[in-house]
Structure formats: structure tokens, C-alpha cells
């Protein structure tokens, strides 16, 4: 062998290879890799049918990209060093992560709207609506967050007075 020829041996890969026990672990890895587009597609478009190490089977939510299986297969192989089977299923699959989150939020809003105090406030202010429900920890975090110069942009004021109503 000529010494002018470059060595074709790959350097040993010292990075630990990932294993995924759950589909949510794959989504978390996409987030950790800052692959925002893949993370969003996994949350929004995947209706999981089956997940196990080396295999993923899912159906696409409406509007989902038909290229997602190939993209996911490449990423999983890159992250784990193993070949994965990623298949589109004709079965419906479970609700996507985004669909589950939306349903949980609707359920939280229904629960809050059923509270007598909240119902009284909504009845007292026609047109008022519940736009978001936070648990106690989220509320504390929101209050404790430092107010920046743009914090006023988070508040929307609506003046329902008719023009000329200068009471």
C-alpha cells in the first residue's frame, strides 16, 4: 500500500450513543439538538402506532409531511448509530403530542369555566373569555419573571366604548 494514499479508517466515535425508551425521548433529543423543525413535526404530525428501540410506526396527522419518515430514520440512525425502521401505518394511531396538549388545555379551560367564581366573573363581564389557564407554579414563574422593556406588549387593552362616549 502506498504511503501517499490516505487512510480510510474512521476515527473511533467516542460520543455516547442514544437509546430511546419512549417516543417523547426522541422529541426531547430533537429539542436538545436544536432541530426545531423536526421537533415541531414530531409533536404535530406523528400519530404514534408503535414505538420500540429500532422501530417506529406512525400515521401522519392531516397536513403532515410525507418526507418525515425518511428524515426521522436518518436522525435516529445518526443519534443511535443503529439502523431504524420507520414506517407509515394505515392505522390511525394515537393523538399527536400537539393534539393531546390542545385537548388538555381545552379540558383545563372547561374545568375553570365551571368554577362558580369564574362563572360569576364571566357573567358580569359579557364578552370576557378564558384565554389561558396556568397552574400555580406557572403563575409564580410568570410573576417572578423580570419585567423587560417589552413586557407591556404582553397586555392587550380593548376599549369597547363607542366613539363619542366620553362619560
Amino acid at each position: 500500500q502506498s504511503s501517499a494514499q490516505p487512510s480510510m479508517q474512521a476515527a473511533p466515535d467516542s460520543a455516547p450513543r442514544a437509546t430511546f425508551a419512549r417516543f417523547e425521548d426522541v422529541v426531547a433529543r430533537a429539542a436538545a439538538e436544536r432541530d426545531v423543525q423536526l421537533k415541531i413535526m414530531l409533536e404535530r404530525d406523528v400519530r404514534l402506532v408503535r414505538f420500540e428501540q429500532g422501530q417506529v410506526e406512525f400515521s401522519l396527522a392531516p397536513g403532515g409531511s410525507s418526507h418525515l419518515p425518511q428524515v426521522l430514520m436518518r436522525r435516529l440512525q445518526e443519534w443511535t448509530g443503529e439502523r431504524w425502521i420507520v414506517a407509515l401505518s394505515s392505522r390511525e394511531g394515537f393523538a399527536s403530542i400537539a393534539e393531546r396538549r390542545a385537548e388538555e388545555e381545552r379540558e383545563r379551560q372547561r374545568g375553570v369555566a365551571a368554577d362558580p367564581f369564574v362563572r360569576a366573573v364571566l357573567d358580569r363581564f359579557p364578552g370576557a373569555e378564558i384565554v389561558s389557564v396556568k397552574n400555580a407554579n406557572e403563575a409564580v414563574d410568570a410573576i417572578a419573571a423580570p419585567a423587560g422593556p417589552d413586557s407591556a406588549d404582553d397586555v392587550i387593552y380593548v376599549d369597547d366604548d363607542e366613539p363619542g362616549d366620553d362619560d
Side-chain angles (χ1 to χ4, degrees):
Q1 193 177 36
S2 166
S3 62
Q5 293 227 346
S7 172
M8 297 306 277
Q9 290 182 356
D13 189 18
S14 60
R17 294 298 187 173
T19 58
F20 301 108
R22 306 170 314 136
F23 179 71
E24 290 79 6
D25 297 335
V26 175
V27 176
R29 177 64 183 256
E33 294 287 333
R34 298 177 189 250
D35 192 339
V36 176
Q37 185 176 15
L38 178 60
K39 178 186 177 287
I40 290 170
M41 288 192 308
L42 294 175
E43 291 176 337
R44 183 191 60 203
D45 301 338
V46 172
R47 290 181 170 167
L48 197 61
V49 172
R50 186 173 62 138
F51 181 88
E52 58 189 55
Q53 185 69 25
Q55 289 190 315
V56 181
E57 181 181 355
F58 63 92
S59 61
L60 284 175
S65 171
S66 60
H67 299 292
L68 180 56
Q70 293 85 7
V71 171
L72 181 57
M73 185 172 58
R74 282 193 305 271
R75 284 298 204 193
L76 287 168
Q77 185 170 355
E78 176 185 314
W79 295 335
T80 64
E82 299 173 11
R83 187 159 171 76
W84 280 67
I85 297 170
V86 179
L88 278 179
S89 179
S90 59
R91 293 188 283 170
E92 180 64 26
F94 296 103
S96 71
I97 292 171
E99 291 167 333
R100 289 193 316 256
R101 284 181 185 155
E103 180 54 34
E104 288 167 3
E105 179 63 20
R106 285 190 294 274
E107 189 61 37
R108 286 179 11 173
Q109 286 188 7
R110 281 191 291 269
V112 167
D115 181 89
F117 178 75
V118 173
R119 186 81 259 141
V121 170
L122 292 172
D123 290 344
R124 175 70 177 96
F125 297 98
E129 60 184 50
I130 300 168
V131 295
S132 180
V133 177
K134 305 282 186 217
N135 67 32
N137 291 337
E138 292 169 325
V140 168
D141 290 345
I143 292 169
D150 297 328
S151 62
D153 294 341
D154 294 340
V155 179
I156 299 172
Y157 298 94
V158 178
D159 185 1
D160 286 340
D161 289 343
E162 295 293 320
D165 280 355
D166 294 331
D167 292 337

